[in-house]
Amino acid sequence: MSTFVLIWIFCMCVRGVIFTDLCTLSAMAEERRQKQCSVSLPTESMKAMAESVGVGQLQEESCAALSEEVSYRIKEIAQDALKFMHHGKRRKLTTNDIDNALRLKNVEPLYGFQSQEFIPFRFASGGGRELHFYEEKEVDLSDIINTPLPRVPLDVSLKAHWLSIDGVQPSIPENPPPAPKEQQKVESTEPLKIVKPGQEDDGTIQGKTQGATAADGKGKEKGLIRLKPRSTHELSVEQQLYYKEITEACVGSCEAKRAEALQSIATDPGLYQMLPRFSTFISEGVRVNVVQNNLALLIYLMRMVKALMDNPTLYLEKYLHELIPAVVTCIVSKQLCLRPDVDNHWALRDFAARLMAQSCKTFSTTTNNIQSRITKTFTKSWLDEKTQWTTRYGCIAGLSELGPDVIKTLILPRLTIEGARIKGVVEGQVVSNIDKIGADHVQSLLLKHCASVIAKIRPQPDLAEQYRTDYGYLGPMLCSHVMKARTQAALQAQQVNRTTLTITQPRPTLTVSQSGFSGSGGPRTPSIIKVPSSLTLMTPRPGTPSQPSPPATKYIVMATSAGAASTQQVL
Amino acid sequence: MAAVQGGPVDAVEEKDIKTEPSNDGCGSNSTNDGRAASASPGSGAPAAGAKPAAAAPEDQQTLLAVLQFLKKNKLTESVDILRREAGLPEDSLDLKGADSSAAGSGGDLGAADASSLLSRVTASSSAVVQAPTKAAGEDQPDVNVVLSAYSQQGDPKLYPVYYNGLKRFIESVLDCHRAELSQVFYPLFVHMYLELVYNNYESEAKAFFEKFRGDQECYYEDDLRILSSLSKREHMRGNETLLDFRTSKFVLRISRDSYQLLKRHLQERQNNQIWNIIQEHLYIDIFDGMPRSKSQIDAMSGSLAGEAKREANKAKVYYGLLKEPEIELPLDDEDEEAENEEGKPKKKKPKKDSVGSKSKKQDPNAPQQTRIPLPELKDSDKLDKIMYMKEATKRIRLGPENLPSICFYSFLNAYQGLTAVDFTDDSSLIAGGFADSTVRVWSVTPKKLRKVKSAADLNLIDKESDDVLERIMDEKTASELKILYGHSGPVYGISFSPDRNYLLSSSEDGTVRLWSLQTFTCLVGYKGHNYPVWDTHFSPHGYYFVSGGHDRVARLWATDHYQPLRIFSGHLADVTCTRFHPNSNYVATGSSDRTIRLWDVLNGSCVRIFTGHKGPIHALAFSPNGKFLASGATDSRVLLWDIGHGLMIGELKGHTDSIYSLRFSRDGEILASGSMDNTVRLWNATKAFDDLETDDFTAATGHVHLQDNSQELLLGTYMSKSTPVINLHFTRRNLLLAAGSYNP
């Protein structure tokens, strides 16, 4: 083979390799930090590329020589490309950087790779070869012409905000949350921090520079005393105002405002400082409203809990001791509303049970044992003979939300006993209407949750008689439910196979009609919820800084007329 | 290399600079004496004495080679100019007699130098002397010659043995010497590897590399990566990093005792291979006194070519500030006006006096007012100065107890395309350079940006009226944002002129462009770099500006010359950032070779080389009093330097990613740094500079001992929301402005 051809192949290879291995290239640049690169391209690539430009047989030696040369050149180009990345002040290597590096070497850049984020390489193997290739589909021109134009990307714009005012970073949406979630987690799970003696006072109280204090704590690890850091939750005037507005909107009468407020709780990054107040608000609110049987308010408070849990910047572990009792109360309380026969307090129990399950999943650790403690509590009151149907319902709901394993071990064995109890109510004579409704609900709840579990663990032939012997009174009904569940599962499986779509059942959201609402807090006129707006700067001179204000007085939201609230608490 | 006056010679000149980075800017004639003196008491070995002295004649050699080349190409005019510049006599072109006559005419070349020079010329086998003759013929003259130095024959099998032997020896010496001698490992490793590669022992080279790469200091990782990719002799050609290893000697600072130990060991063992490498490729700067500790060595090492030679930082630098121009008269007028407006005449008078009295005292460290010609102040400049002084009286005193407020300007929807930002001194305008080749200028005050009217419309204006400056503006074009089109590649550097009339931008397309902020059009495209221009910066007095790029040189330009006035060459890799000293007499450049150099604008010589960074330098800032320099690099550290003494005086650790911006507050109490880790950090600069213990010993030896007090100096950390901080700026009242693009 003449040298000319070799050189020509080489050129094609360099271009081709860049073409095909662009994706590995950027990875290479990263990887090389750890792994030392004596990486070079396989000779098969050279062969494949030679074939693609019409050179049939390439000798093994030429391949080896080519692959080394090409690898070296590619590394060179990658190094230059990194230079462009650094000067472009980016962390990501883009195809433009490669283009620029090629231009630097007087090589014509590769046209057509303009994708900024993702390079759509496909992988294929076959015939003992593995290939990465760039799939170029044939495009029908008329399609392109007929499709509407994409929206013009937004133009560059400039926006100013205060990063710091006299050394203190204001908590506005433009700034990151003052305490990132990881830090909150560390604080709550490892509360003891090594602090040098005499350091702790100025270390935490000094509100001047949050960053500096955090750094202080880290820097001063020479001291050997472990102290629990004292965290202060000072609220600025804006934050106090915000807290007031939010809490009023959450329990107020206007549903639209409530939705806005909940949305704000679920998304706002600066709520960390207010978290203790929110949690006290919820726990006090539940305590009072359970006594007053105010279903609507309880629902609102549970929705607040949900919103807090949804907020990605908050870590609630520290405040579970207040939140969990409140939630559990809403699950198992004997009476949650004024007219238990009419009002749908069952939905609240379901909702709260789901919240409970969610917090178990998120926060349960081997040290706090939340899940096992909760399970114990539920089972204990469920086993009690004298337990009311409402509480019984709550216990079962709470347990069954914890997952199929819990259902299998705790609920299924008791189905016979529970069935007998339900039978006693349904077929018995002198029972109150309330008991009857309760038993009905318990029955449908058990059927709903147990059927899917049984469908999974029980072998196929579903015989009503068999079920009756196994599960007693509920047996036949269970049997039909299980059969229904099986057909549904089969249907779903088919669909899954065909479309790879996961079908999620939308969870019912809780809303209460305002008719049954009799607010105890008196008429409220909540004004518009407004997040403290960012201080936008027009003139480049320091504005009046907002002084950190003393902690706000606690808002007592509900009139605490009833004193016997504590007896209702479960935990 | 001195200024070039013009003509078609330029291209040739630049090529030479690019291919021969061996002659540092510091190799001007005046330093010869010091160099020879320091080397001669060094050692018994004759070669060690001769080597350093040879560096200066190389300058002459290069010049002669260039002259010859020019003559061959019939560029007589250029020959004359160059000869005049270099002070060479007419007959110096006769190569045979050239060296002796050049040595004689070179004025300060001593007799000893001349004789050594002659001996070098006669030894025709010497590679360096061959260079000029080849230079005329070949396109890339140096490469072959340079590489041929590696063509030593030695048994490749023995290389690891040699290296191991040395390693064992160094591990066995006393603790105090070990750290110093360990410095030898890295350059030795590199050169041994290159020798193996050059002699085509590919597998041995690989084995050698794998075996010993783990021993090298972690901050050489980047270079090792480049080295590891190089495994064939063919690769060595055209690899710039590699050429640097060869052309510039790796500089080590070793105490006399340690050096003697090493020498004795190598001579005892007859270890010629290693001894040769040390002689050929290493420059050992021997000093008397205590050997340095590991931390002291680590603080200073890390650059591509070792530490700076001590002599390199000996030149006197006039770091003081220039006297403020007398603008008493207009100030009075202004005061009267101010009186009328505000009715507070008494308050202003004493302040003005204090400013005046301060400027009357001549700083002994300041350069002469006319050291370099500076542009005359225009009336508008004087007005601006008055505005500045007024604002200065309202300035907030900053300190640890009184931290600045920070206003963050986020560029939204920039799609990672924002590459450079600059603020005007009065903080009224922001300019951004973008990867899509555009430059955008925003007004951040209510005053909108307006263009000047067209020529036809301008004719209609009454030129005698008082508000003529207002009348020439076209109201119809008023807008907050103006976009400047003209570059054909990403814009990497941007700089406003102090009078806010011009804007400079440097780009990947190899040009620097000057834009008018009156007409919002491009006025000049300064060509010369030919490769991407990474940074540009206007002189604080206007008129001059400096640019630096991938071609490894920084250039000094004047706005009214389309060719550079000075070319600062000496960096071994890309010049990544450039900055003017507050007195406009010096220029600091940071580079990918991990050094910072300070250049004298007057004669183009390099007066300071600062080593110690472990990554490419991307940010530089002079303290307002001109005494100190701060630098930030991709190694996420900020280093502080004393310019007068040429010493490192502080290290600020805390950032977790590359630092792209640095700025001192107006009074110099606070240093702000912005980084890719999305934070702005504030450092107590006063404390950092006050804590400084510059006893005579430290100043004399340059051995710094840094205390690790970053945490005490850190005053605040302000996190932004996934917005890397690209630029920082203190307003005249000490409000800190930061800018970056939001990358969700």
Side-chain angles (χ1 to χ4, degrees):
Chain A
M1 193 168 300
S2 72
T3 15
F4 173 74
V5 174
L6 260 181
I7 291 168
W8 182 67
I9 293 176
F10 167 69
C11 290
M12 294 313 290
C13 281
V14 171
R15 297 180 62 78
V17 165
I18 292 166
F19 218 72
T20 50
D21 284 58
L22 209 55
C23 56
T24 46
L25 201 63
S26 52
M28 222 155 79
E30 281 305 304
E31 247 173 54
R32 239 179 296 168
R33 291 210 174 276
Q34 295 97 36
K35 214 177 75 178
Q36 273 331 302
C37 56
S38 39
V39 187
S40 67
L41 295 164
T43 49
E44 286 81 34
S45 301
M46 298 304 117
K47 275 214 180 108
M49 256 163 264
E51 275 171 28
S52 73
V53 294
V55 177
Q57 277 105 33
L58 201 58
Q59 286 156 15
E60 202 56 42
E61 285 167 32
S62 331
C63 280
L66 274 174
S67 86
E68 259 183 52
E69 185 66 18
V70 172
S71 312
Y72 172 70
R73 297 294 163 201
I74 287 180
K75 283 171 192 172
E76 244 185 4
I77 288 164
Q79 263 150 15
D80 278 343
L82 282 177
K83 216 177 255 177
F84 283 95
M85 180 188 81
H86 278 304
H87 281 283
K89 279 126 187 152
R90 277 174 280 115
R91 278 200 202 83
K92 230 178 245 170
L93 191 71
T94 66
T95 47
N96 287 338
D97 294 330
I98 308 260
D99 285 351
N100 285 335
L102 286 171
R103 286 220 298 204
L104 205 63
K105 299 222 168 297
N106 256 334
V107 182
E108 200 176 359
L110 305 162
Y111 299 107
F113 282 98
Q114 294 305 325
S115 120
Q116 297 276 332
E117 288 294 319
F118 168 70
I119 304 158
F121 279 105
R122 299 280 304 266
F123 175 74
S125 61
R129 275 189 186 172
E130 293 180 337
L131 275 178
H132 287 276
F133 65 94
Y134 176 60
E135 194 177 31
E136 282 179 298
K137 286 185 188 135
E138 275 184 30
V139 187
D140 194 358
L141 263 186
S142 60
D143 281 356
I144 295 178
I145 293 162
N146 291 330
T147 46
L149 287 173
R151 276 177 54 191
V152 179
L154 293 169
D155 196 19
V156 183
S157 61
L158 199 59
K159 186 175 188 307
H161 73 269
W162 287 111
L163 187 67
S164 137
I165 297 171
D166 283 355
V168 183
Q169 191 163 24
S171 35
I172 46 174
E174 285 87 347
N175 286 329
K181 202 168 178 182
E182 286 72 33
Q183 192 192 324
Q184 294 179 34
K185 188 170 180 177
V186 167
E187 267 175 24
S188 52
T189 48
E190 289 166 29
L192 294 180
K193 200 154 97 185
I194 302 164
V195 185
K196 200 174 180 179
Q199 186 76 35
E200 74 274 20
D201 273 349
D202 53 274
T204 45
I205 291 177
Q206 172 206 72
K208 198 86 181 158
T209 51
Q210 289 154 345
T213 39
D216 271 350
K218 259 177 230 154
K220 297 277 152 48
E221 286 193 354
K222 290 162 226 156
L224 293 167
I225 297 177
R226 289 170 154 257
L227 282 175
K228 189 158 183 163
R230 205 185 322 164
S231 52
T232 52
H233 291 278
E234 290 178 0
L235 293 195
S236 63
V237 180
E238 292 90 352
Q239 281 174 320
Q240 291 178 31
L241 213 66
Y242 171 80
Y243 173 80
K244 189 159 167 266
E245 296 287 352
I246 286 283
T247 45
E248 279 177 4
C250 275
V251 294
S253 57
C254 175
E255 183 60 34
K257 269 181 199 163
R258 180 168 20 257
E260 267 183 72
L262 289 174
Q263 168 79 11
S264 169
I265 294 179
T267 53
D268 210 301
L271 296 185
Y272 173 63
Q273 294 281 312
M274 280 174 266
L275 200 48
R277 278 156 235 269
F278 275 124
S279 100
T280 316
F281 176 82
I282 291 166
S283 103
E284 288 290 314
V286 169
R287 194 202 293 272
V288 170
N289 286 295
V290 156
V291 176
Q292 302 202 335
N293 294 325
N294 192 337
L295 179 65
L297 275 182
L298 287 175
I299 290 176
Y300 299 151
L301 290 169
M302 282 305 107
R303 286 172 69 186
M304 270 179 88
V305 176
K306 170 107 175 87
L308 282 176
M309 286 174 96
D310 286 348
N311 191 320
T313 62
L314 295 178
Y315 193 75
L316 297 181
E317 230 251 10
K318 258 190 193 171
Y319 307 100
L320 286 182
H321 66 282
E322 284 188 314
L323 293 177
I324 286 186
V327 175
V328 171
T329 305
C330 287
I331 302 175
V332 296
S333 175
K334 258 186 286 187
Q335 197 180 354
L336 287 171
C337 48
L338 289 173
R339 291 166 296 168
D341 46 342
V342 185
D343 290 339
N344 185 7
H345 57 95
W346 313 104
L348 173 61
R349 292 176 199 274
D350 283 337
F351 184 73
R354 234 170 276 136
L355 280 180
M356 194 62 241
Q358 195 187 332
S359 51
C360 278
K361 212 189 286 168
T362 332
F363 302 110
S364 188
T365 58
T366 45
T367 33
N368 61 21
N369 274 329
I370 293 175
Q371 174 143 1
S372 67
R373 281 157 70 189
I374 290 293
T375 321
K376 251 179 232 158
T377 315
F378 283 145
T379 354
K380 210 176 124 203
S381 55
W382 186 27
L383 294 182
D384 194 344
E385 279 299 315
K386 292 183 203 109
T387 312
Q388 303 253 338
W389 281 109
T390 45
T391 309
R392 202 169 284 279
Y393 179 91
C395 292
I396 298 168
L399 283 174
S400 44
E401 286 295 342
L402 290 174
D405 282 340
V406 178
I407 296 176
K408 198 172 124 189
T409 49
L410 290 175
I411 299 182
L412 291 189
R414 278 189 61 83
L415 270 181
T416 332
I417 304 164
E418 209 56 38
R421 200 192 304 272
I422 292 168
K423 189 179 171 193
V425 174
V426 175
E427 293 175 2
Q429 262 85 57
V430 272
V431 271
S432 67
N433 194 25
I434 291 177
D435 277 354
K436 197 154 188 180
I437 294 171
D440 268 353
H441 272 96
V442 169
Q443 180 182 324
S444 56
L445 181 75
L446 281 172
L447 291 176
K448 189 176 89 187
H449 284 296
C450 294
S452 58
V453 177
I454 292 174
K456 277 195 195 110
I457 58 171
R458 216 182 145 89
Q460 195 40 266
D462 295 320
L463 303 168
E465 281 311 306
Q466 196 77 39
Y467 272 79
R468 183 183 287 281
T469 52
D470 284 354
Y471 302 113
Y473 170 71
L474 292 172
M477 279 177 276
L478 258 181
C479 179
S480 62
H481 269 87
V482 167
M483 279 179 343
K484 220 181 279 168
R486 281 197 210 278
T487 50
Q488 215 162 35
L491 258 174
Q492 275 184 12
Q494 275 177 353
Q495 273 174 334
V496 167
N497 280 344
R498 239 178 292 141
T499 59
T500 66
L501 265 179
T502 47
I503 293 156
T504 48
Q505 284 182 327
R507 295 213 145 154
T509 48
L510 263 189
T511 40
V512 199
S513 59
Q514 288 297 318
S515 60
F517 171 66
S518 57
S520 58
R524 267 174 205 288
T525 50
S527 48
I528 297 166
I529 303 154
K530 207 173 163 205
V531 182
S533 63
S534 62
L535 298 141
T536 39
L537 178 94
M538 285 319 290
T539 47
R541 62 181 65 131
T544 47
S546 62
Q547 287 293 326
S549 45
T553 50
K554 192 159 68 179
Y555 291 92
I556 296 162
V557 181
M558 299 304 152
T560 46
S561 53
S566 55
T567 51
Q568 298 280 332
Q569 297 272 319
V570 174
L571 274 181
Chain B
M1 198 72 41
V4 176
Q5 291 299 323
V9 207
D10 275 27
V12 181
E13 289 287 332
E14 282 146 29
K15 200 186 289 167
D16 280 336
I17 287 153
K18 181 93 170 93
T19 50
E20 296 173 21
S22 60
N23 312 311
D24 322 342
C26 63
S28 64
N29 288 340
S30 56
T31 57
N32 280 334
D33 298 305
R35 212 181 279 199
S38 79
S40 51
S43 63
K51 277 292 164 192
E58 274 178 42
D59 263 358
Q60 301 277 349
Q61 301 270 353
T62 319
L63 266 179
L64 291 176
V66 172
L67 282 174
Q68 213 190 17
F69 175 76
L70 294 177
K71 203 168 187 193
K72 207 175 231 174
N73 288 294
K74 306 258 176 344
L75 300 164
T76 47
E77 201 180 333
S78 317
V79 171
D80 285 345
I81 291 166
L82 183 59
R83 195 187 295 134
R84 251 205 322 277
E85 283 278 327
L88 291 176
E90 288 280 325
D91 56 345
S92 65
L93 275 178
D94 180 11
L95 192 64
K96 279 294 162 198
D99 292 294
S100 54
S101 60
S105 68
D108 37 17
L109 281 176
D113 282 350
S115 63
S116 74
L117 191 60
L118 277 173
S119 68
R120 284 169 52 81
V121 174
T122 44
S124 59
S125 62
S126 170
V128 190
V129 185
Q130 280 177 354
T133 45
K134 282 200 178 180
E138 276 182 45
D139 195 29
Q140 270 200 325
D142 266 328
V143 184
N144 286 324
V145 180
V146 160
L147 293 180
S148 68
Y150 282 115
S151 62
Q152 279 169 338
Q153 289 304 318
D155 187 355
K157 294 269 182 334
L158 287 177
Y159 275 64
V161 180
Y162 289 148
Y163 191 87
N164 249 337
L166 188 70
K167 198 169 137 191
R168 237 173 293 133
F169 162 69
I170 288 175
E171 273 162 8
S172 69
V173 297
L174 286 176
D175 278 357
C176 61
H177 298 299
R178 193 182 303 150
E180 284 211 313
L181 291 179
S182 304
Q183 296 177 85
V184 179
F185 280 137
Y186 172 69
L188 210 60
F189 171 79
V190 169
H191 287 291
M192 285 171 94
Y193 175 73
L194 291 180
E195 267 188 28
L196 286 171
V197 170
Y198 185 79
N199 293 318
N200 284 331
Y201 300 120
E202 201 180 314
S203 55
E204 283 90 347
K206 216 167 237 172
F208 180 78
F209 192 86
E210 287 308 318
K211 192 164 176 192
F212 298 114
R213 74 161 299 151
D215 299 347
Q216 311 307 326
E217 299 283 355
C218 54
Y219 41 78
Y220 292 121
E221 205 46 29
D222 283 340
D223 289 337
L224 288 179
R225 225 184 309 146
I226 295 173
L227 210 60
S228 70
S229 66
L230 183 137
S231 57
K232 283 213 182 321
R233 189 170 175 169
E234 292 78 49
H235 296 163
M236 295 174 87
R237 194 178 307 239
N239 189 320
E240 285 160 353
T241 320
L242 187 100
L243 268 179
D244 297 332
F245 276 122
R246 176 61 195 96
T247 53
S248 57
K249 291 191 166 187
F250 198 94
V251 182
L252 299 174
R253 254 187 233 180
I254 292 184
S255 71
R256 184 175 304 285
D257 294 349
S258 308
Y259 179 70
Q260 298 288 7
L261 265 176
L262 178 70
K263 207 174 80 180
R264 211 177 312 137
H265 167 77
L266 291 177
Q267 281 172 352
E268 270 171 23
R269 293 292 179 86
Q270 302 280 310
N271 204 337
N272 283 329
Q273 203 76 32
I274 287 181
W275 186 240
N276 279 341
I277 290 178
I278 290 178
Q279 303 258 304
E280 290 259 330
H281 305 301
L282 269 52
Y283 178 94
I284 296 185
D285 195 358
I286 299 160
F287 64 87
D288 290 302
M290 287 278 289
R292 294 187 295 169
S293 70
K294 174 92 175 118
S295 65
Q296 279 177 319
I297 293 169
D298 278 350
M300 299 297 288
S301 56
S303 103
L304 194 63
E307 297 180 41
K309 297 169 191 169
R310 270 176 301 160
E311 286 70 37
N313 290 338
K314 285 280 187 273
K316 165 115 177 111
V317 174
Y318 300 98
Y319 55 79
L321 299 185
L322 291 177
K323 216 161 52 169
E324 283 295 314
E326 306 278 329
I327 35 174
E328 297 288 335
L329 234 110
L331 190 67
D332 283 337
D333 293 348
E334 191 65 22
D335 259 4
E336 275 165 22
E337 279 172 38
E339 272 175 41
N340 296 339
E341 283 169 16
E342 296 168 27
K344 280 186 274 179
K346 276 182 185 168
K347 215 175 172 186
K348 291 224 162 128
K349 282 271 154 72
K351 277 205 175 118
K352 181 200 71 194
D353 288 347
S354 72
V355 172
S357 67
K358 206 195 281 173
S359 61
K360 266 167 210 151
K361 238 190 289 165
Q362 176 67 36
D363 186 346
N365 290 312
Q368 280 190 333
Q369 205 71 13
T370 52
R371 191 164 178 267
I372 59 162
L374 290 173
E376 295 243 333
L377 281 186
K378 289 180 296 215
D379 283 351
S380 58
D381 296 334
K382 286 179 184 163
L383 277 177
D384 199 55
K385 277 261 187 295
I386 291 160
M387 275 306 292
Y388 175 77
M389 284 180 194
K390 273 187 174 173
E391 293 266 313
T393 59
K394 294 177 189 161
R395 187 180 293 163
I396 299 167
R397 282 242 156 244
L398 296 179
E401 299 306 314
N402 206 359
L403 293 175
S405 300
I406 307 173
C407 173
F408 202 104
Y409 285 92
S410 311
F411 288 76
L412 305 174
N413 310 318
Y415 307 105
Q416 303 224 336
L418 182 70
T419 44
V421 178
D422 195 32
F423 291 90
T424 51
D425 187 68
D426 70 346
S427 318
S428 61
L429 304 176
I430 295 182
F434 289 83
D436 63 1
S437 317
T438 59
V439 175
R440 287 159 198 254
V441 185
W442 279 268
S443 167
V444 288
T445 56
K447 201 178 152 198
K448 296 203 166 163
L449 301 171
R450 293 168 302 175
K451 283 186 189 174
V452 172
K453 285 177 183 164
S454 68
D457 290 343
L458 282 176
N459 270 332
L460 304 175
I461 291 175
D462 173 18
K463 290 171 194 68
E464 300 303 313
S465 73
D466 288 339
D467 58 344
V468 66
L469 286 176
E470 196 54 36
R471 288 192 184 195
I472 58 170
M473 307 312 278
D474 189 354
E475 276 306 323
K476 276 175 288 185
T477 58
S479 67
E480 276 178 12
L481 164 68
K482 289 263 184 270
I483 306 178
L484 307 174
Y485 298 101
H487 280 295
S488 60
V491 179
Y492 289 119
I494 209 163
S495 178
F496 278 107
S497 73
D499 60 2
R500 294 187 298 286
N501 282 329
Y502 305 107
L503 174 69
L504 277 173
S505 62
S506 72
S507 158
E508 188 267 343
D509 62 13
T511 62
V512 179
R513 279 178 187 271
L514 182 74
W515 308 86
S516 163
L517 296 181
Q518 302 290 335
T519 59
F520 292 97
T521 52
C522 181
L523 301 177
V524 198
Y526 300 95
K527 292 173 189 168
H529 276 288
N530 289 334
Y531 286 99
V533 190
W534 297 130
D535 198 11
T536 183
H537 187 234
F538 243 115
S539 144
H541 295 89
Y543 187 61
Y544 299 108
F545 65 93
V546 62
S547 66
H550 176 71
D551 58 358
R552 302 159 173 223
V553 295
R555 281 157 208 256
L556 179 84
W557 311 75
T559 45
D560 56 359
H561 286 60
Y562 62 90
Q563 280 166 339
L565 303 180
R566 296 282 182 276
I567 295 178
F568 305 115
S569 100
H571 276 298
L572 301 174
D574 302 24
V575 176
T576 48
C577 59
T578 55
R579 200 120 304 245
F580 254 100
H581 190 276
N583 69 18
S584 286
N585 278 263
Y586 296 93
V587 164
T589 57
S591 161
S592 300
D593 67 7
R594 308 188 284 274
T595 64
I596 300 151
R597 281 170 188 252
L598 192 70
W599 309 87
D600 192 338
V601 166
L602 182 67
N603 51 22
S605 64
C606 174
V607 287
R608 289 286 180 273
I609 304 175
F610 295 131
T611 61
H613 271 298
K614 319 285 191 247
I617 289 133
H618 279 280
L620 289 170
F622 282 99
S623 68
N625 60 11
K627 272 186 181 172
F628 305 105
L629 177 68
S631 61
T634 54
D635 60 7
S636 50
R637 300 181 311 151
V638 176
L639 296 182
L640 303 173
W641 310 89
D642 181 333
I643 296 171
H645 295 101
L647 288 179
M648 184 195 295
I649 50 169
E651 178 189 19
L652 305 176
K653 285 190 273 193
H655 279 292
T656 55
D657 209 333
S658 308
I659 293 162
Y660 279 116
S661 53
L662 280 173
R663 193 63 79 120
F664 281 95
S665 68
R666 291 279 173 163
D667 297 319
E669 305 102 333
I670 299 256
L671 174 65
S673 61
S675 154
M676 279 293 276
D677 64 8
N678 307 336
T679 58
V680 174
R681 281 170 207 255
L682 301 178
W683 310 87
N684 190 343
T686 321
K687 189 153 181 260
F689 296 142
D690 283 351
D691 285 357
L692 190 63
E693 305 154 16
T694 35
D695 48 68
D696 293 338
F697 176 74
T698 321
T701 56
H703 300 164
V704 288
H705 193 81
L706 296 177
Q707 62 224 73
D708 188 18
N709 58 352
S710 297
Q711 291 306 329
E712 291 160 38
L713 296 176
L714 181 66
L715 296 177
T717 304
Y718 304 97
M719 189 96 180
S720 71
K721 228 178 186 179
S722 59
T723 312
V725 186
I726 294 184
N727 201 299
L728 292 166
H729 174 78
F730 275 97
T731 65
R732 290 172 174 177
R733 298 184 183 184
N734 265 341
L735 171 71
L736 180 57
L737 306 181
S741 78
Y742 176 60
N743 299 327

